[in-house]
Amino acid sequence: MGRVSGIISFFVCTYVCMGFYLPGLAPVNFCEQKVAKPSCPSNITLYVNRLDSDQSVIPFEYHSFDFCIGSENESPVENLGQVLFGERIRPSPYKISFNEQMQCKLLCERKYNDNDPNAQKKMWLLRKGMKLNYQHHWILDNMPVTFCFINQQNQNVCTTGFPMGCYVTSDGRPKDACVLDSRYRQPDSYYIFNHVDILIEYRNMSQDPNFLEEHVGGRIIRIKVQPRSIKHKAKDKLDCGITAQPFPIKSNEKPDKIIYTYSVVWQTTQVKWSSRWDYILDSVPHPNIQWFSILNSLVIVLFLSGMVGMILLRTLHRDIIRYNQLDNEEDAQEEFGWKLVHGDVFRPPRYAMFLSVFVGSGCQVLFMVAVTLGISISLLSCMIS
């Protein structure tokens, strides 16, 4: 009877238990609005992260600049690796639904009054960010939003960040992202990228014969963004076409408003979900191994280790000679040197059990902290690389 009840309990537990995935490591299917359900949502949250620059060591949170902000109620909790890297992930106001095309949609409007010192401070910070080439870092479906362009070597390069704007010097020399468009040429001008064209490639799972689950929705494979500077006349007169005029901001001028817009385009692809990181990893330049620095560090370590070893060897050799001389003498003398501690090494402690428990627990905690830090940092580096 006991064996039968055990078998029944096993099958009941097997039926009730449900498998789980680690967050960010399992594919998510998205459906259109009319067929959306809890297991296949339609709305997709676009997250924004901190802004950083290669020309400055100070990162800024997204809300530090005068951009369009979203609700803070849906902010995700950063893991340990993200906190160590200074990540500040916040939800954005961009409204994206699966397979819903959007053209020139208004995001928000920022106004700047000449009599408001706070507004002028915000404009000064925007100009500083554009001049130092600060980069946005967005996340969609646990995937970094990439900015792809043709570099000077005529190679297609995709980066996990895109600039917030660019600057043209007083002598008409474009810097950073301004070289990508010949229209950004007005001297001593800042070009704010107030419009983004978001291209989302997805794999249609409803027609995938290799998909064993319910054939609905699709999986996001790639997210690419193309920032542009557009001078909108008004909120009800938006023009996001290719021929739209850019929005230069002179150093001695103060714009009264900045209108932010965006477009979303969905395209199907045959790339599998397991290979969606390949195009980012392939475009990352492979670093050159600095063999000279490695050999230099190795020689320094060996030299210092040899010096320490020689000092210890000379000290031990001198003490051993003195110990041998004392053994030949008849009169016992007071112990000195290494003999002062040789008896304490094998002396049992007063509370040996407590010491062993504390040492074992401490070693386990330190080991688990090191393993957790290593795994979190490696996973985060794979996500943002």
Side-chain angles (χ1 to χ4, degrees):
M1 186 66 183
R3 182 179 299 178
V4 175
S5 61
I7 295 175
I8 295 175
S9 301
F10 171 77
F11 282 106
V12 169
C13 293
T14 305
Y15 177 77
V16 173
C17 292
M18 297 179 63
F20 67 94
Y21 294 97
L22 293 176
L25 301 181
V28 179
N29 283 20
F30 296 96
C31 295
E32 296 182 1
Q33 187 70 38
K34 56 184 178 181
V35 294
K37 52 185 178 180
S39 60
C40 189
S42 174
N43 297 327
I44 307 172
T45 304
L46 175 65
Y47 293 98
V48 295
N49 204 344
R50 60 178 172 82
L51 287 84
D52 55 12
S53 172
D54 295 336
Q55 305 177 22
S56 176
V57 297
I58 302 176
F60 286 93
E61 289 193 29
Y62 181 84
H63 295 171
S64 298
F65 294 96
D66 193 29
F67 297 137
C68 306
I69 60 176
S71 176
E72 292 287 340
N73 298 329
E74 300 179 358
S75 298
V77 179
E78 292 87 359
N79 56 39
L80 184 58
Q82 292 172 335
V83 172
L84 292 177
F85 275 95
E87 306 290 328
R88 296 296 182 268
I89 302 175
R90 299 291 183 267
S92 70
Y94 293 87
K95 305 299 181 182
I96 301 177
S97 297
F98 178 75
N99 206 17
E100 180 179 347
Q101 312 290 341
M102 298 182 182
Q103 293 295 330
C104 203
K105 187 175 180 60
L106 175 66
L107 186 63
C108 73
E109 180 183 18
R110 293 300 187 193
K111 296 183 178 181
Y112 302 94
N113 189 358
D114 294 339
N115 300 325
D116 187 3
N118 190 24
Q120 299 307 317
K121 183 179 179 180
K122 294 179 180 178
M123 178 54 61
W124 173 83
L125 187 59
L126 283 176
R127 288 173 175 169
K128 179 182 178 181
M130 289 184 284
K131 192 171 185 178
L132 295 179
N133 193 29
Y134 270 83
Q135 304 280 319
H136 286 282
H137 296 281
W138 291 358
I139 302 172
L140 184 70
D141 188 31
N142 292 309
M143 187 79 175
V145 178
T146 58
F147 172 50
C148 299
F149 59 93
I150 305 297
N151 60 5
Q152 297 179 353
Q153 289 76 25
N154 200 21
Q155 297 177 348
N156 187 19
V157 179
C158 294
T159 62
T160 56
F162 65 95
M164 59 177 289
C166 60
Y167 174 67
V168 180
T169 60
S170 57
D171 56 353
R173 181 172 55 88
K175 295 180 60 179
D176 303 318
C178 283
V179 301
L180 301 178
D181 196 328
S182 59
R183 295 178 297 175
Y184 304 155
R185 291 296 184 270
Q186 287 194 21
D188 197 18
S189 298
Y190 299 87
Y191 289 89
I192 180 72
F193 292 153
N194 57 336
H195 176 82
V196 288
D197 293 315
I198 304 175
L199 173 62
I200 304 177
E201 299 181 8
Y202 70 98
R203 183 179 177 88
N204 191 356
M205 306 307 297
S206 61
Q207 300 177 359
D208 192 348
N210 298 322
F211 188 52
L212 302 179
E213 300 178 10
E214 186 179 1
H215 290 73
V216 293
R219 293 177 179 176
I220 295 177
I221 304 299
R222 297 174 180 174
I223 311 102
K224 299 180 181 180
V225 64
Q226 189 66 35
R228 288 190 292 156
S229 177
I230 298 178
K231 188 175 183 179
H232 298 290
K233 296 180 180 179
K235 293 191 297 183
D236 55 351
K237 296 181 180 180
L238 301 177
D239 182 14
C240 302
I242 301 178
T243 59
Q245 294 297 322
F247 185 23
I249 302 176
K250 290 286 187 178
S251 298
N252 54 359
E253 295 180 356
K254 299 178 181 179
D256 56 348
K257 62 182 178 181
I258 298 178
I259 300 176
Y260 292 89
T261 55
Y262 68 101
S263 300
V264 180
V265 177
W266 291 82
Q267 291 182 358
T268 58
T269 181
Q270 297 300 321
V271 179
K272 295 183 179 180
W273 186 88
S274 58
S275 303
R276 65 176 188 167
W277 285 86
D278 292 351
Y279 83 104
I280 299 178
L281 299 177
D282 293 340
S283 63
V284 174
H286 299 284
N288 296 325
I289 301 177
Q290 303 294 331
W291 292 108
F292 179 77
S293 300
I294 295 176
L295 292 177
N296 187 23
S297 302
L298 183 61
V299 169
I300 293 176
V301 170
L302 292 177
F303 177 73
L304 294 178
S305 301
M307 289 184 60
V308 174
M310 290 181 61
I311 294 173
L312 290 176
L313 184 61
R314 293 183 60 182
T315 303
L316 290 175
H317 183 68
R318 188 185 306 113
D319 290 344
I320 291 173
I321 293 176
R322 295 178 64 182
Y323 296 153
N324 293 332
Q325 292 177 355
L326 291 175
D327 293 339
N328 297 329
E329 296 179 0
E330 296 180 357
D331 298 333
Q333 297 183 5
E334 184 180 358
E335 294 183 348
F336 60 91
W338 296 93
K339 283 192 174 183
L340 293 175
V341 296
H342 81 281
D344 294 333
V345 175
F346 302 101
R347 184 178 301 165
R350 183 174 300 178
Y351 301 101
M353 184 59 67
F354 284 103
L355 178 62
S356 61
V357 170
F358 290 151
V359 171
S361 301
C363 292
Q364 183 179 6
V365 170
L366 290 177
F367 177 75
M368 292 307 300
V369 168
V371 171
T372 304
L373 284 175
I375 294 176
S376 59
I377 293 175
S378 61
L379 289 177
L380 182 61
S381 62
C382 291
M383 291 181 62
I384 66 177
S385 61

